[in-house]
Amino acid sequence: MVVWLGVDIIQNSRMDGLIDKWGEKFISKVFTDTERNFINKAKNKNQRYAANYAVKEAFVKALGTGFKKGVKFQNIEVKRDKSVKPFIDTFVDTKSLVEEKGINKIHTTISHEKEYSVAVVIFEN
């Protein structure tokens, strides 16, 4: 079994600044409709946006590509199961790269507090 790991941390105030500066243009570029629908129901939306952003950054670190080779923010979607546990779905070129690497399990976890959000992504094949 081969395992890849990615981790990312973001200061929540950085997400506040990005949303204040770019607004809906930034949100629609980075987050899918599914993510936005879930996040917009939350009390602290920007903290949730920060957490999902950290997942996407951790994902590309684990993949080893960054946002290249067709990997785009919109092709990495953070979803929640019935117990609200996060999981990742991929689309288009990102999904193809995951399949090419033989990755068959993707795990993620998110944690956040007042100032920071952190995410870990683990790939297994």
Side-chain angles (χ1 to χ4, degrees), residues 63-92:
L63 195 58
T65 61
F67 288 98
K68 298 176 184 171
K69 297 186 179 183
V71 178
K72 296 180 171 88
F73 282 107
Q74 285 280 333
N75 294 343
I76 306 162
E77 185 172 70
V78 183
K79 295 181 175 179
R80 304 309 193 279
D81 67 13
K82 290 180 183 179
S83 68
V84 196
K85 179 183 176 209
F87 67 95
I88 298 170
D89 201 359
T90 57
F91 309 102
V92 193

PDB file of all heavy atoms in Angstrom, residues 63-92:
ATOM      1  N   LEU A  63      -1.549  15.010  -3.820  1.00  0.00           N
ATOM      2  CA  LEU A  63      -1.489  14.581  -5.224  1.00  0.00           C
ATOM      3  C   LEU A  63      -0.130  14.884  -5.847  1.00  0.00           C
ATOM      4  O   LEU A  63       0.327  14.193  -6.748  1.00  0.00           O
ATOM      5  CB  LEU A  63      -2.611  15.264  -6.012  1.00  0.00           C
ATOM      6  CG  LEU A  63      -2.951  14.726  -7.382  1.00  0.00           C
ATOM      7  CD1 LEU A  63      -3.354  13.256  -7.332  1.00  0.00           C
ATOM      8  CD2 LEU A  63      -4.052  15.561  -8.007  1.00  0.00           C
ATOM      9  N   GLY A  64       0.526  15.915  -5.328  1.00  0.00           N
ATOM     10  CA  GLY A  64       1.861  16.259  -5.810  1.00  0.00           C
ATOM     11  C   GLY A  64       1.875  17.109  -7.062  1.00  0.00           C
ATOM     12  O   GLY A  64       2.904  17.235  -7.719  1.00  0.00           O
ATOM     13  N   THR A  65       0.745  17.713  -7.404  1.00  0.00           N
ATOM     14  CA  THR A  65       0.669  18.485  -8.638  1.00  0.00           C
ATOM     15  C   THR A  65       0.485  19.977  -8.410  1.00  0.00           C
ATOM     16  O   THR A  65       0.777  20.766  -9.316  1.00  0.00           O
ATOM     17  CB  THR A  65      -0.530  18.027  -9.486  1.00  0.00           C
ATOM     18  OG1 THR A  65      -1.731  18.251  -8.737  1.00  0.00           O
ATOM     19  CG2 THR A  65      -0.413  16.576  -9.888  1.00  0.00           C
ATOM     20  N   GLY A  66      -0.020  20.361  -7.282  1.00  0.00           N
ATOM     21  CA  GLY A  66      -0.488  21.725  -7.139  1.00  0.00           C
ATOM     22  C   GLY A  66      -1.676  21.894  -8.075  1.00  0.00           C
ATOM     23  O   GLY A  66      -2.270  20.911  -8.540  1.00  0.00           O
ATOM     24  N   PHE A  67      -2.010  23.131  -8.366  1.00  0.00           N
ATOM     25  CA  PHE A  67      -3.123  23.386  -9.281  1.00  0.00           C
ATOM     26  C   PHE A  67      -2.590  23.488 -10.709  1.00  0.00           C
ATOM     27  O   PHE A  67      -2.572  24.543 -11.329  1.00  0.00           O
ATOM     28  CB  PHE A  67      -3.885  24.653  -8.852  1.00  0.00           C
ATOM     29  CG  PHE A  67      -4.686  24.428  -7.612  1.00  0.00           C
ATOM     30  CD1 PHE A  67      -4.188  24.810  -6.376  1.00  0.00           C
ATOM     31  CD2 PHE A  67      -5.922  23.803  -7.665  1.00  0.00           C
ATOM     32  CE1 PHE A  67      -4.915  24.584  -5.215  1.00  0.00           C
ATOM     33  CE2 PHE A  67      -6.664  23.567  -6.518  1.00  0.00           C
ATOM     34  CZ  PHE A  67      -6.154  23.965  -5.292  1.00  0.00           C
ATOM     35  N   LYS A  68      -2.112  22.337 -11.208  1.00  0.00           N
ATOM     36  CA  LYS A  68      -1.589  22.198 -12.567  1.00  0.00           C
ATOM     37  C   LYS A  68      -2.167  20.925 -13.160  1.00  0.00           C
ATOM     38  O   LYS A  68      -2.866  20.182 -12.491  1.00  0.00           O
ATOM     39  CB  LYS A  68      -0.059  22.097 -12.549  1.00  0.00           C
ATOM     40  CG  LYS A  68       0.636  23.323 -11.988  1.00  0.00           C
ATOM     41  CD  LYS A  68       2.128  23.100 -11.921  1.00  0.00           C
ATOM     42  CE  LYS A  68       2.798  24.300 -11.276  1.00  0.00           C
ATOM     43  NZ  LYS A  68       4.193  24.057 -11.005  1.00  0.00           N
ATOM     44  N   LYS A  69      -1.832  20.649 -14.388  1.00  0.00           N
ATOM     45  CA  LYS A  69      -2.266  19.426 -15.078  1.00  0.00           C
ATOM     46  C   LYS A  69      -3.785  19.268 -15.064  1.00  0.00           C
ATOM     47  O   LYS A  69      -4.309  18.173 -14.925  1.00  0.00           O
ATOM     48  CB  LYS A  69      -1.599  18.193 -14.453  1.00  0.00           C
ATOM     49  CG  LYS A  69      -0.097  18.191 -14.581  1.00  0.00           C
ATOM     50  CD  LYS A  69       0.489  16.898 -14.074  1.00  0.00           C
ATOM     51  CE  LYS A  69       1.999  16.916 -14.239  1.00  0.00           C
ATOM     52  NZ  LYS A  69       2.609  15.661 -13.833  1.00  0.00           N
ATOM     53  N   GLY A  70      -4.500  20.378 -15.166  1.00  0.00           N
ATOM     54  CA  GLY A  70      -5.952  20.326 -15.203  1.00  0.00           C
ATOM     55  C   GLY A  70      -6.616  20.273 -13.848  1.00  0.00           C
ATOM     56  O   GLY A  70      -7.840  20.179 -13.764  1.00  0.00           O
ATOM     57  N   VAL A  71      -5.838  20.303 -12.783  1.00  0.00           N
ATOM     58  CA  VAL A  71      -6.412  20.293 -11.435  1.00  0.00           C
ATOM     59  C   VAL A  71      -6.882  21.707 -11.122  1.00  0.00           C
ATOM     60  O   VAL A  71      -6.105  22.661 -11.163  1.00  0.00           O
ATOM     61  CB  VAL A  71      -5.380  19.819 -10.386  1.00  0.00           C
ATOM     62  CG1 VAL A  71      -5.970  19.872  -8.991  1.00  0.00           C
ATOM     63  CG2 VAL A  71      -4.901  18.412 -10.716  1.00  0.00           C
ATOM     64  N   LYS A  72      -8.164  21.824 -10.842  1.00  0.00           N
ATOM     65  CA  LYS A  72      -8.765  23.121 -10.536  1.00  0.00           C
ATOM     66  C   LYS A  72      -9.562  23.016  -9.242  1.00  0.00           C
ATOM     67  O   LYS A  72     -10.011  21.933  -8.859  1.00  0.00           O
ATOM     68  CB  LYS A  72      -9.695  23.546 -11.676  1.00  0.00           C
ATOM     69  CG  LYS A  72      -8.974  23.783 -12.983  1.00  0.00           C
ATOM     70  CD  LYS A  72      -9.950  24.206 -14.063  1.00  0.00           C
ATOM     71  CE  LYS A  72      -9.236  24.655 -15.293  1.00  0.00           C
ATOM     72  NZ  LYS A  72      -8.904  23.693 -16.247  1.00  0.00           N
ATOM     73  N   PHE A  73      -9.732  24.152  -8.588  1.00  0.00           N
ATOM     74  CA  PHE A  73     -10.511  24.180  -7.353  1.00  0.00           C
ATOM     75  C   PHE A  73     -11.884  23.537  -7.541  1.00  0.00           C
ATOM     76  O   PHE A  73     -12.342  22.767  -6.707  1.00  0.00           O
ATOM     77  CB  PHE A  73     -10.711  25.624  -6.868  1.00  0.00           C
ATOM     78  CG  PHE A  73      -9.519  26.219  -6.188  1.00  0.00           C
ATOM     79  CD1 PHE A  73      -8.752  27.180  -6.828  1.00  0.00           C
ATOM     80  CD2 PHE A  73      -9.173  25.844  -4.894  1.00  0.00           C
ATOM     81  CE1 PHE A  73      -7.659  27.751  -6.198  1.00  0.00           C
ATOM     82  CE2 PHE A  73      -8.080  26.405  -4.259  1.00  0.00           C
ATOM     83  CZ  PHE A  73      -7.322  27.363  -4.910  1.00  0.00           C
ATOM     84  N   GLN A  74     -12.545  23.858  -8.638  1.00  0.00           N
ATOM     85  CA  GLN A  74     -13.899  23.360  -8.885  1.00  0.00           C
ATOM     86  C   GLN A  74     -13.953  21.847  -9.125  1.00  0.00           C
ATOM     87  O   GLN A  74     -15.020  21.263  -9.058  1.00  0.00           O
ATOM     88  CB  GLN A  74     -14.502  24.083 -10.100  1.00  0.00           C
ATOM     89  CG  GLN A  74     -14.933  25.492  -9.815  1.00  0.00           C
ATOM     90  CD  GLN A  74     -16.279  25.561  -9.116  1.00  0.00           C
ATOM     91  OE1 GLN A  74     -17.120  24.682  -9.248  1.00  0.00           O
ATOM     92  NE2 GLN A  74     -16.476  26.613  -8.361  1.00  0.00           N
ATOM     93  N   ASN A  75     -12.801  21.232  -9.417  1.00  0.00           N
ATOM     94  CA  ASN A  75     -12.766  19.787  -9.663  1.00  0.00           C
ATOM     95  C   ASN A  75     -12.503  18.983  -8.395  1.00  0.00           C
ATOM     96  O   ASN A  75     -12.370  17.764  -8.448  1.00  0.00           O
ATOM     97  CB  ASN A  75     -11.700  19.450 -10.704  1.00  0.00           C
ATOM     98  CG  ASN A  75     -12.043  20.005 -12.065  1.00  0.00           C
ATOM     99  OD1 ASN A  75     -13.174  20.374 -12.340  1.00  0.00           O
ATOM    100  ND2 ASN A  75     -11.054  20.092 -12.927  1.00  0.00           N
ATOM    101  N   ILE A  76     -12.401  19.676  -7.281  1.00  0.00           N
ATOM    102  CA  ILE A  76     -12.230  19.039  -5.962  1.00  0.00           C
ATOM    103  C   ILE A  76     -13.381  19.530  -5.109  1.00  0.00           C
ATOM    104  O   ILE A  76     -13.492  20.720  -4.838  1.00  0.00           O
ATOM    105  CB  ILE A  76     -10.891  19.449  -5.317  1.00  0.00           C
ATOM    106  CG1 ILE A  76      -9.724  19.163  -6.240  1.00  0.00           C
ATOM    107  CG2 ILE A  76     -10.728  18.759  -3.954  1.00  0.00           C
ATOM    108  CD1 ILE A  76      -8.450  19.915  -5.873  1.00  0.00           C
ATOM    109  N   GLU A  77     -14.249  18.612  -4.725  1.00  0.00           N
ATOM    110  CA  GLU A  77     -15.440  19.017  -3.976  1.00  0.00           C
ATOM    111  C   GLU A  77     -15.442  18.367  -2.602  1.00  0.00           C
ATOM    112  O   GLU A  77     -15.299  17.156  -2.476  1.00  0.00           O
ATOM    113  CB  GLU A  77     -16.695  18.614  -4.750  1.00  0.00           C
ATOM    114  CG  GLU A  77     -17.973  19.100  -4.123  1.00  0.00           C
ATOM    115  CD  GLU A  77     -19.165  18.841  -5.010  1.00  0.00           C
ATOM    116  OE1 GLU A  77     -19.543  17.664  -5.168  1.00  0.00           O
ATOM    117  OE2 GLU A  77     -19.705  19.821  -5.565  1.00  0.00           O
ATOM    118  N   VAL A  78     -15.619  19.196  -1.598  1.00  0.00           N
ATOM    119  CA  VAL A  78     -15.708  18.712  -0.221  1.00  0.00           C
ATOM    120  C   VAL A  78     -17.193  18.539   0.104  1.00  0.00           C
ATOM    121  O   VAL A  78     -17.966  19.490   0.029  1.00  0.00           O
ATOM    122  CB  VAL A  78     -15.055  19.697   0.770  1.00  0.00           C
ATOM    123  CG1 VAL A  78     -15.099  19.133   2.183  1.00  0.00           C
ATOM    124  CG2 VAL A  78     -13.624  20.011   0.352  1.00  0.00           C
ATOM    125  N   LYS A  79     -17.563  17.312   0.419  1.00  0.00           N
ATOM    126  CA  LYS A  79     -18.950  16.990   0.750  1.00  0.00           C
ATOM    127  C   LYS A  79     -19.007  16.489   2.192  1.00  0.00           C
ATOM    128  O   LYS A  79     -17.971  16.262   2.816  1.00  0.00           O
ATOM    129  CB  LYS A  79     -19.486  15.908  -0.191  1.00  0.00           C
ATOM    130  CG  LYS A  79     -19.575  16.339  -1.643  1.00  0.00           C
ATOM    131  CD  LYS A  79     -20.136  15.205  -2.481  1.00  0.00           C
ATOM    132  CE  LYS A  79     -20.363  15.616  -3.910  1.00  0.00           C
ATOM    133  NZ  LYS A  79     -20.889  14.498  -4.722  1.00  0.00           N
ATOM    134  N   ARG A  80     -20.187  16.279   2.690  1.00  0.00           N
ATOM    135  CA  ARG A  80     -20.381  15.732   4.034  1.00  0.00           C
ATOM    136  C   ARG A  80     -21.321  14.540   3.939  1.00  0.00           C
ATOM    137  O   ARG A  80     -22.297  14.575   3.174  1.00  0.00           O
ATOM    138  CB  ARG A  80     -20.998  16.762   4.987  1.00  0.00           C
ATOM    139  CG  ARG A  80     -20.281  18.105   5.155  1.00  0.00           C
ATOM    140  CD  ARG A  80     -18.823  17.970   5.471  1.00  0.00           C
ATOM    141  NE  ARG A  80     -18.159  19.179   5.924  1.00  0.00           N
ATOM    142  CZ  ARG A  80     -17.702  20.157   5.160  1.00  0.00           C
ATOM    143  NH1 ARG A  80     -17.912  20.137   3.864  1.00  0.00           N
ATOM    144  NH2 ARG A  80     -17.041  21.167   5.686  1.00  0.00           N
ATOM    145  N   ASP A  81     -21.006  13.497   4.716  1.00  0.00           N
ATOM    146  CA  ASP A  81     -21.920  12.363   4.765  1.00  0.00           C
ATOM    147  C   ASP A  81     -23.047  12.683   5.759  1.00  0.00           C
ATOM    148  O   ASP A  81     -23.136  13.796   6.276  1.00  0.00           O
ATOM    149  CB  ASP A  81     -21.176  11.066   5.088  1.00  0.00           C
ATOM    150  CG  ASP A  81     -20.582  11.016   6.484  1.00  0.00           C
ATOM    151  OD1 ASP A  81     -20.917  11.871   7.341  1.00  0.00           O
ATOM    152  OD2 ASP A  81     -19.768  10.105   6.737  1.00  0.00           O
ATOM    153  N   LYS A  82     -23.888  11.693   6.045  1.00  0.00           N
ATOM    154  CA  LYS A  82     -25.041  11.928   6.927  1.00  0.00           C
ATOM    155  C   LYS A  82     -24.648  12.352   8.329  1.00  0.00           C
ATOM    156  O   LYS A  82     -25.386  13.054   9.003  1.00  0.00           O
ATOM    157  CB  LYS A  82     -25.921  10.683   6.975  1.00  0.00           C
ATOM    158  CG  LYS A  82     -26.643  10.435   5.676  1.00  0.00           C
ATOM    159  CD  LYS A  82     -27.507   9.200   5.741  1.00  0.00           C
ATOM    160  CE  LYS A  82     -28.143   8.974   4.379  1.00  0.00           C
ATOM    161  NZ  LYS A  82     -28.978   7.784   4.348  1.00  0.00           N
ATOM    162  N   SER A  83     -23.459  11.941   8.759  1.00  0.00           N
ATOM    163  CA  SER A  83     -22.988  12.324  10.093  1.00  0.00           C
ATOM    164  C   SER A  83     -22.166  13.620  10.052  1.00  0.00           C
ATOM    165  O   SER A  83     -21.560  13.999  11.032  1.00  0.00           O
ATOM    166  CB  SER A  83     -22.166  11.193  10.720  1.00  0.00           C
ATOM    167  OG  SER A  83     -20.961  11.030  10.001  1.00  0.00           O
ATOM    168  N   VAL A  84     -22.124  14.275   8.894  1.00  0.00           N
ATOM    169  CA  VAL A  84     -21.420  15.524   8.632  1.00  0.00           C
ATOM    170  C   VAL A  84     -19.900  15.335   8.570  1.00  0.00           C
ATOM    171  O   VAL A  84     -19.132  16.282   8.607  1.00  0.00           O
ATOM    172  CB  VAL A  84     -21.822  16.645   9.633  1.00  0.00           C
ATOM    173  CG1 VAL A  84     -21.385  18.000   9.123  1.00  0.00           C
ATOM    174  CG2 VAL A  84     -23.318  16.674   9.875  1.00  0.00           C
ATOM    175  N   LYS A  85     -19.449  14.089   8.448  1.00  0.00           N
ATOM    176  CA  LYS A  85     -18.022  13.810   8.249  1.00  0.00           C
ATOM    177  C   LYS A  85     -17.646  14.230   6.824  1.00  0.00           C
ATOM    178  O   LYS A  85     -18.343  13.881   5.863  1.00  0.00           O
ATOM    179  CB  LYS A  85     -17.753  12.324   8.447  1.00  0.00           C
ATOM    180  CG  LYS A  85     -16.306  11.948   8.225  1.00  0.00           C
ATOM    181  CD  LYS A  85     -16.092  10.454   8.370  1.00  0.00           C
ATOM    182  CE  LYS A  85     -14.649  10.145   8.038  1.00  0.00           C
ATOM    183  NZ  LYS A  85     -14.474   8.825   7.495  1.00  0.00           N
ATOM    184  N   PRO A  86     -16.544  14.975   6.660  1.00  0.00           N
ATOM    185  CA  PRO A  86     -16.172  15.408   5.310  1.00  0.00           C
ATOM    186  C   PRO A  86     -15.583  14.274   4.466  1.00  0.00           C
ATOM    187  O   PRO A  86     -14.926  13.371   4.988  1.00  0.00           O
ATOM    188  CB  PRO A  86     -15.119  16.488   5.570  1.00  0.00           C
ATOM    189  CG  PRO A  86     -14.517  16.123   6.879  1.00  0.00           C
ATOM    190  CD  PRO A  86     -15.630  15.483   7.678  1.00  0.00           C
ATOM    191  N   PHE A  87     -15.856  14.353   3.181  1.00  0.00           N
ATOM    192  CA  PHE A  87     -15.198  13.470   2.218  1.00  0.00           C
ATOM    193  C   PHE A  87     -15.025  14.249   0.926  1.00  0.00           C
ATOM    194  O   PHE A  87     -15.609  15.319   0.749  1.00  0.00           O
ATOM    195  CB  PHE A  87     -15.959  12.153   2.011  1.00  0.00           C
ATOM    196  CG  PHE A  87     -17.295  12.272   1.338  1.00  0.00           C
ATOM    197  CD1 PHE A  87     -17.429  12.081  -0.036  1.00  0.00           C
ATOM    198  CD2 PHE A  87     -18.444  12.564   2.072  1.00  0.00           C
ATOM    199  CE1 PHE A  87     -18.667  12.168  -0.661  1.00  0.00           C
ATOM    200  CE2 PHE A  87     -19.684  12.661   1.461  1.00  0.00           C
ATOM    201  CZ  PHE A  87     -19.799  12.461   0.096  1.00  0.00           C
ATOM    202  N   ILE A  88     -14.198  13.728   0.034  1.00  0.00           N
ATOM    203  CA  ILE A  88     -13.833  14.443  -1.185  1.00  0.00           C
ATOM    204  C   ILE A  88     -14.344  13.690  -2.406  1.00  0.00           C
ATOM    205  O   ILE A  88     -14.193  12.471  -2.511  1.00  0.00           O
ATOM    206  CB  ILE A  88     -12.298  14.606  -1.281  1.00  0.00           C
ATOM    207  CG1 ILE A  88     -11.799  15.438  -0.113  1.00  0.00           C
ATOM    208  CG2 ILE A  88     -11.894  15.233  -2.609  1.00  0.00           C
ATOM    209  CD1 ILE A  88     -10.290  15.460   0.023  1.00  0.00           C
ATOM    210  N   ASP A  89     -14.904  14.452  -3.329  1.00  0.00           N
ATOM    211  CA  ASP A  89     -15.284  13.938  -4.640  1.00  0.00           C
ATOM    212  C   ASP A  89     -14.460  14.710  -5.666  1.00  0.00           C
ATOM    213  O   ASP A  89     -14.143  15.879  -5.448  1.00  0.00           O
ATOM    214  CB  ASP A  89     -16.777  14.148  -4.869  1.00  0.00           C
ATOM    215  CG  ASP A  89     -17.354  13.230  -5.928  1.00  0.00           C
ATOM    216  OD1 ASP A  89     -16.594  12.423  -6.515  1.00  0.00           O
ATOM    217  OD2 ASP A  89     -18.566  13.308  -6.182  1.00  0.00           O
ATOM    218  N   THR A  90     -14.094  14.052  -6.771  1.00  0.00           N
ATOM    219  CA  THR A  90     -13.282  14.703  -7.795  1.00  0.00           C
ATOM    220  C   THR A  90     -13.972  14.602  -9.151  1.00  0.00           C
ATOM    221  O   THR A  90     -14.781  13.701  -9.384  1.00  0.00           O
ATOM    222  CB  THR A  90     -11.887  14.067  -7.893  1.00  0.00           C
ATOM    223  OG1 THR A  90     -12.026  12.668  -8.151  1.00  0.00           O
ATOM    224  CG2 THR A  90     -11.094  14.281  -6.617  1.00  0.00           C
ATOM    225  N   PHE A  91     -13.609  15.520 -10.037  1.00  0.00           N
ATOM    226  CA  PHE A  91     -14.220  15.588 -11.357  1.00  0.00           C
ATOM    227  C   PHE A  91     -13.165  15.861 -12.427  1.00  0.00           C
ATOM    228  O   PHE A  91     -12.096  16.372 -12.148  1.00  0.00           O
ATOM    229  CB  PHE A  91     -15.267  16.720 -11.400  1.00  0.00           C
ATOM    230  CG  PHE A  91     -16.253  16.656 -10.281  1.00  0.00           C
ATOM    231  CD1 PHE A  91     -16.118  17.499  -9.190  1.00  0.00           C
ATOM    232  CD2 PHE A  91     -17.293  15.750 -10.284  1.00  0.00           C
ATOM    233  CE1 PHE A  91     -17.020  17.445  -8.140  1.00  0.00           C
ATOM    234  CE2 PHE A  91     -18.191  15.686  -9.236  1.00  0.00           C
ATOM    235  CZ  PHE A  91     -18.059  16.536  -8.165  1.00  0.00           C
ATOM    236  N   VAL A  92     -13.494  15.543 -13.642  1.00  0.00           N
ATOM    237  CA  VAL A  92     -12.756  15.870 -14.865  1.00  0.00           C
ATOM    238  C   VAL A  92     -11.288  15.446 -14.757  1.00  0.00           C
ATOM    239  O   VAL A  92     -11.002  14.305 -14.409  1.00  0.00           O
ATOM    240  CB  VAL A  92     -12.928  17.382 -15.210  1.00  0.00           C
ATOM    241  CG1 VAL A  92     -12.450  17.670 -16.620  1.00  0.00           C
ATOM    242  CG2 VAL A  92     -14.384  17.822 -15.072  1.00  0.00           C
TER     243      VAL A  92
END
